[in-house]
């Protein structure tokens, strides 16, 4: 049939296609895998087309007790939600007091604190939503609010500041 070497080559090629497909899907849906509701259920991307225009949504992955998918699932407009999350992260990075409160450590020198604020402001002005993705732990959607949990260390690292504080920071936003 085929040699093991050829088999392994084909499998490596197939795996590279799969990885590219996942990255492509994340580029189209930057909150993929990050969205949860207040009960911890995830959301998946979907879309509809009307009049030649594509409308993207995130739909809850709620299941009924018998394992079939529920008909009345939460459907969130993707563009609106993604913009809201991006603006929330950008506003966080632009606010010097918030950056210092959330990201600085007691052992940081005054110079390091100034660098945190300056670099965060620059990052806020240069960043697109996909660049924020590594900072995001999850986005929880409640009836009244959207809570964004960011990874403090990932942000400090992106800002080029030494490792210090452990943990995450919640960016809570009431709608």
């Amino acid at each position: 049939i085929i040699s093991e070497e050829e088999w392994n080559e084909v499998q490596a090629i197939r795996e590279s296609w799969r990885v590219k497909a996942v990255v492509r899907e994340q580029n189209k849906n930057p909150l993929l895998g990050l969205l949860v509701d207040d009960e911890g259920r995830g959301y998946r991307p979907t879309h509809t087309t009307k009049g030649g225009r594509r409308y993207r949504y995130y739909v809850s992955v709620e299941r009924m007790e018998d394992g079939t998918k529920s008909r009345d699932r939460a459907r969130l407009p993707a563009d609106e939600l993604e913009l809201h999350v991006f603006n929330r992260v950008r506003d966080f990075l632009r606010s010097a007091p918030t950056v210092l409160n959330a990201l600085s450590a007691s052992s940081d020198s005054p110079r390091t604190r100034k660098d945190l604020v300056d670099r965060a402001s620059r990052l806020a002005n240069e960043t697109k939503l996909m660049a924020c993705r590594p900072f995001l732990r999850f986005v929880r959607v409640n009836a009244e609010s959207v809570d964004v949990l960011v990874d403090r260390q990932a942000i400090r690292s992106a800002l080029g500041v030494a490792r210090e504080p452990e943990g995450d920071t919640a960016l809570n936003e009431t709608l």
Side-chain angles (χ1 to χ4, degrees):
I1 299 196
I2 65 170
S3 70
E4 186 174 341
E5 184 179 317
E6 287 175 310
W7 173 258
N8 291 336
E9 275 183 50
V10 169
Q11 294 309 311
I13 291 169
R14 290 185 68 219
E15 178 64 19
S16 72
W17 292 342
R18 189 190 69 74
V19 169
K20 288 175 187 173
V22 168
V23 169
R24 189 172 48 248
E25 188 66 22
Q26 285 179 341
N27 285 337
K28 284 189 225 173
N29 303 293
L31 299 180
L32 179 65
L34 298 172
L35 283 173
V36 295
D37 65 13
D38 52 353
E39 294 178 18
R41 291 182 299 245
Y43 285 79
R44 67 175 176 79
T46 188
H47 71 275
T48 61
T49 305
K50 184 175 180 180
R53 183 179 157 127
R54 185 178 181 149
Y55 297 91
R56 293 184 316 110
Y57 299 94
Y58 288 99
V59 182
S60 73
V61 194
E62 183 176 338
R63 294 186 180 275
M64 298 187 59
E65 287 182 25
D66 65 1
T68 60
K69 292 193 178 188
S70 171
R71 290 261 181 233
D72 54 349
R73 298 176 288 192
R75 186 172 81 166
L76 308 170
D79 293 333
E80 206 174 296
L81 182 60
E82 290 163 0
L83 182 61
H84 179 78
V85 169
F86 172 68
N87 285 338
R88 188 69 194 107
V89 172
R90 191 183 63 211
D91 292 347
F92 164 75
L93 292 170
R94 286 182 175 164
S95 170
T98 307
V99 165
L100 287 173
N101 185 45
L103 300 179
S104 67
S106 57
S107 60
D108 285 342
S109 69
R111 177 68 188 161
T112 300
R113 289 172 189 252
K114 181 179 182 333
D115 286 348
L116 263 175
V117 170
D118 292 346
R119 292 174 183 177
S121 179
R122 276 198 306 275
L123 183 62
N125 293 330
E126 299 167 359
T127 297
K128 304 238 182 302
L129 181 58
M130 282 309 296
C132 294
R133 188 175 166 80
F135 309 155
L136 302 176
R137 286 276 190 199
F138 66 82
V139 177
R140 183 179 21 242
V141 180
N142 301 308
E144 306 84 34
S145 67
V146 174
D147 302 327
V148 180
L149 188 73
V150 295
D151 181 332
R152 296 170 69 185
Q153 196 53 55
I155 295 176
R156 281 181 66 99
S157 178
L159 297 176
V161 179
R163 291 185 62 88
E164 272 295 331
E166 292 297 324
D168 302 318
T169 298
L171 308 179
N172 297 321
E173 180 75 12
T174 301
L175 297 177

